[in-house]
Amino acid sequence: MKEITEQQWLQRDIAPKGKEAVFFFTPLCGTCKVGLRMLEVAEAAGISTSVFLININFAPVLREKWKVASVPCLVLTQAGEPVQMEYAMQSVDTLYRLLK
């Protein structure tokens, strides 16, 4: 997982053709910290999807464009466009299956 800024996401030269995920969070959100820990465990188990972390406080363009309603929010993307949004980080197993 790599924390990036909204600008870094938007300024990528070539949108990847494959599946990626963006985890929107805020630093003071306890549920976000739990979700982040679950993503770390899923990553250690061997997911194949790249996961990027973006602080939603500094991502007004993506927040509006993708209509992110709350945090934590895991957005699965295909070719740089959102295809699925998960607001409930139910379990490590669920996240692992989404990201494998």
Side-chain angles (χ1 to χ4, degrees):
M1 285 184 293
K2 178 181 178 186
E3 186 168 348
I4 63 171
T5 65
E6 177 182 66
Q7 284 302 109
Q8 289 171 317
W9 177 269
L10 294 172
Q11 292 178 348
R12 297 186 303 171
D13 292 334
I14 300 170
K17 294 181 172 121
K19 183 168 118 176
E20 292 181 314
V22 178
F23 182 73
F24 288 99
F25 72 98
T26 62
L28 300 177
C29 168
T31 309
C32 297
K33 289 177 184 172
V34 172
L36 180 59
R37 180 66 184 128
M38 291 167 67
L39 284 170
E40 288 171 348
V41 173
E43 184 178 52
I47 58 173
S48 59
T49 304
S50 297
V51 179
F52 297 94
L53 310 174
I54 297 180
N55 184 337
I56 199 163
N57 291 325
F58 303 108
V61 173
L62 288 175
R63 182 178 61 227
E64 291 298 317
K65 182 179 176 183
W66 292 356
K67 299 182 181 3
V68 177
S70 65
V71 291
C73 180
L74 182 67
V75 180
L76 301 175
T77 66
Q78 187 72 38
E81 293 300 319
V83 294
Q84 183 177 349
M85 299 174 93
E86 292 292 324
Y87 290 98
M89 307 298 125
Q90 297 175 11
S91 68
V92 172
D93 184 52
T94 302
L95 292 174
Y96 177 81
R97 282 189 262 131
L98 279 172
L99 300 169
K100 70 176 181 174

